[in-house]
């Protein structure tokens, strides 16, 4: 696993010290890792007695992150030109500015530091930071930054970062043989007072009943392609209307379909509007779905990526199959 360098920690400390105020923002439709990373960064700024605003374009669709929605805003507080010169922008769990979504305010031109772990991440012009695609979660990186700059984590921040690590690592089931540093970091979080059982229950309990019904619908619609190696399922506008947009258990969907014999990749498409779709891509170890997601304007990790594009499900499915056929 690629290590975070002392120069990365030093650069972030200097970045914090040269600004009076910060915007902290993650990607739109935030997941647990995104929210935890933003809150972890905010806790580092608290140690340095710095002021900040937490931003998110939302929506907070996932049941497990709903409790933190009130801490975030989609509207930037007003800053005059003098204020902007002393303001830093910190982007977590994302590096592509278009993935931040619709925010009411102007983030352009701000001194920017990025902490991210997505394979497709690249620094915007003039930005600095740490992008480590070997890290299983951005929260893992934020933990390392906190421990280097501030020392032992308080229990409440350790719980938040452990939650973020567990959501993106599938509660550690996505890790491989070079993940000893991740387990060591997780053990430190437990030593700070984290209860893994409580975290597991928080992530996996309290799902709306409608998501159980929708899961059945999506499983029924699943079809196999490319000699059974690819499975695609989808959610229509009618499905969303019937079962609600309050949440969906896509993680359980991927896990169930990937566990089927010979299946190497799973795609879940959702018709968000009559003309736009979002999609999730998951795979077993050897298929790099980030490359395929990039073909549709998305990106992410080798085995877990997403996209958002114009189109309709019935026309997107043949295009997705065509791209997978190139690598399967």
């Amino acid at each position: 696993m690629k290590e975070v360098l002392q120069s990365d920690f030093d650069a972030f400390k200097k970045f914090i010290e040269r600004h009076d105020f910060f915007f902290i923002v993650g990607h739109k439709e935030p997941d647990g890792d995104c929210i935890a990373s933003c809150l972890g960064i905010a806790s580092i700024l608290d140690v340095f007695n710095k002021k900040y605003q937490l931003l998110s374009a939302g929506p907070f669709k996932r049941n497990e992150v709903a409790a933190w929605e009130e801490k975030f805003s989609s509207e930037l507080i007003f800053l005059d030109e003098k204020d902007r010169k002393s303001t830093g922008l910190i982007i977590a769990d994302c590096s592509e500015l278009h993935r931040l979504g619709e925010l009411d305010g102007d983030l352009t031109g701000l001194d920017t530091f990025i902490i991210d772990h997505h394979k497709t991440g690249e620094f915007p012009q003039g930005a600095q930071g740490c992008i480590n695609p070997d890290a299983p979660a951005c929260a893992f990186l934020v933990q390392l930054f906190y421990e280097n700059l501030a020392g032992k984590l308080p229990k409440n921040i350790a719980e938040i970062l452990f939650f973020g690590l567990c959501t993106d690592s599938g509660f550690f089931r996505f890790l491989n043989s070079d993940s000893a540093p991740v387990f060591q970091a997780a053990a430190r979080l437990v030593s700070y007072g984290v209860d893994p059982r409580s975290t597991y229950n928080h992530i996996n309990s309290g799902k709306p009943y409608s998501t159980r019904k929708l899961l059945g619908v999506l499983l029924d619609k699943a079809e196999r392609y490319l000699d059974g190696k690819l499975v695609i399922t989808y959610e229509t506008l009618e499905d969303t209307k019937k079962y609600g947009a309050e949440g969906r258990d896509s993680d359980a969907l991927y896990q169930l379909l990937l566990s089927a014999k010979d299946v190497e990749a799973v795609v879940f498409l959702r018709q968000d509007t009559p003309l736009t779709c979002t999609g999730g891509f998951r795979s077993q170890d050897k298929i790099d779905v980030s490359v395929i997601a990039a073909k549709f304007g998305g990106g992410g990790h080798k085995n877990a990526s997403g996209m958002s594009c114009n189109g309709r499900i019935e026309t997107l499915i043949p295009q997705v199959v065509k791209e997978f056929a190139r690598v399967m």
Side-chain angles (χ1 to χ4, degrees):
M1 174 177 289
K2 177 183 175 183
E3 293 184 6
V4 180
L5 302 177
Q6 184 62 44
S7 58
D8 294 320
F9 300 131
D10 294 340
F12 191 44
K13 182 178 180 181
K14 291 178 181 178
F15 180 84
I16 293 173
E17 291 175 339
R18 69 172 177 261
H19 297 295
D20 299 324
F21 184 81
F22 298 85
F23 291 120
I24 306 171
V25 61
H27 57 76
K28 61 184 178 180
E29 294 194 24
D31 56 9
D33 186 31
C34 178
I35 294 301
S37 298
C38 289
L39 294 172
I41 291 168
S43 70
I44 295 175
L45 297 183
D46 286 334
V47 173
F48 283 82
N49 294 314
K50 298 288 185 174
K51 296 180 179 179
Y52 55 84
Q53 183 185 22
L54 289 160
L55 299 172
S56 176
F60 284 68
K61 293 182 178 180
R62 298 170 180 264
N63 177 69
E64 63 269 24
V65 301
W68 288 296
E69 182 175 4
E70 64 182 19
K71 292 183 176 292
F72 292 78
S73 174
S74 62
E75 181 178 352
L76 282 66
I77 64 171
F78 174 76
L79 300 175
D80 60 27
E81 284 304 310
K82 181 180 178 181
D83 293 330
R84 287 177 64 86
K85 291 179 180 179
S86 62
T87 296
L89 170 63
I90 305 175
I91 302 176
D93 200 33
C94 174
S95 60
E96 301 93 344
L97 296 179
H98 70 273
R99 291 195 63 218
L100 300 182
E102 296 296 325
L103 295 166
D104 186 2
D106 183 14
L107 293 175
T108 60
L110 295 174
D111 193 15
T112 302
F113 197 98
I114 293 169
I115 302 178
D116 189 20
H117 72 127
H118 290 92
K119 182 180 178 183
T120 52
E122 295 181 358
F123 289 116
Q125 185 175 4
Q128 61 176 315
C130 173
I131 299 178
N132 187 336
D134 290 340
C138 187
F140 166 70
L141 298 175
V142 173
Q143 177 188 347
L144 299 184
F145 274 91
Y146 190 106
E147 290 172 326
N148 184 274
L149 299 181
K152 179 180 177 180
L153 280 77
K155 179 182 178 182
N156 64 318
I157 304 303
E159 289 173 336
I160 290 170
L161 292 179
F162 188 78
F163 161 74
L165 172 60
C166 290
T167 55
D168 251 31
S169 69
F171 224 94
F172 307 107
R173 70 181 186 274
F174 301 145
L175 302 186
N176 52 34
S177 59
D178 68 347
S179 300
V182 181
F183 283 102
Q184 291 163 0
R188 293 197 300 275
L189 294 177
V190 174
S191 75
Y192 301 147
V194 168
D195 180 356
R197 179 183 295 182
S198 295
T199 302
Y200 182 88
N201 289 337
H202 175 69
I203 294 172
N204 293 285
S205 301
K207 307 288 186 182
Y209 182 73
S210 60
T211 66
R212 311 297 92 183
K213 301 286 287 185
L214 179 58
L215 183 59
V217 171
L218 299 178
L219 289 171
D220 188 56
K221 289 182 177 181
E223 296 289 344
R224 304 181 79 172
Y225 301 86
L226 305 177
D227 298 323
K229 293 182 288 187
L230 171 66
V231 175
I232 299 179
T233 189
Y234 58 90
E235 178 182 332
T236 65
L237 289 171
E238 291 74 22
D239 294 330
T240 304
K241 182 178 179 180
K242 182 175 181 179
Y243 296 104
E246 59 181 314
R248 53 196 38 78
D249 197 358
S250 53
D251 292 338
L253 175 70
Y254 295 129
Q255 187 175 357
L256 284 168
L257 293 176
L258 280 173
S259 67
K261 183 180 179 181
D262 298 326
V263 174
E264 297 180 9
V266 172
V267 176
F268 167 46
L269 299 174
R270 184 173 74 234
Q271 193 78 51
D272 286 328
T273 74
L275 297 176
T276 62
C277 287
T278 54
F281 301 74
R282 297 294 186 274
S283 68
Q284 306 287 9
D285 185 58
K286 67 179 183 178
I287 303 296
D288 188 346
V289 292
S290 70
V291 175
I292 297 170
K295 298 286 186 178
F296 299 91
H301 307 291
K302 176 182 177 182
N303 302 121
S305 292
M307 64 85 168
S308 180
C309 67
N310 295 326
R312 294 188 59 81
I313 288 172
E314 57 265 28
T315 57
L316 276 175
I317 289 178
Q319 298 174 39
V320 170
V321 174
K322 181 179 178 180
E323 293 301 329
F324 272 96
R326 301 178 191 275
V327 300
M328 283 184 161

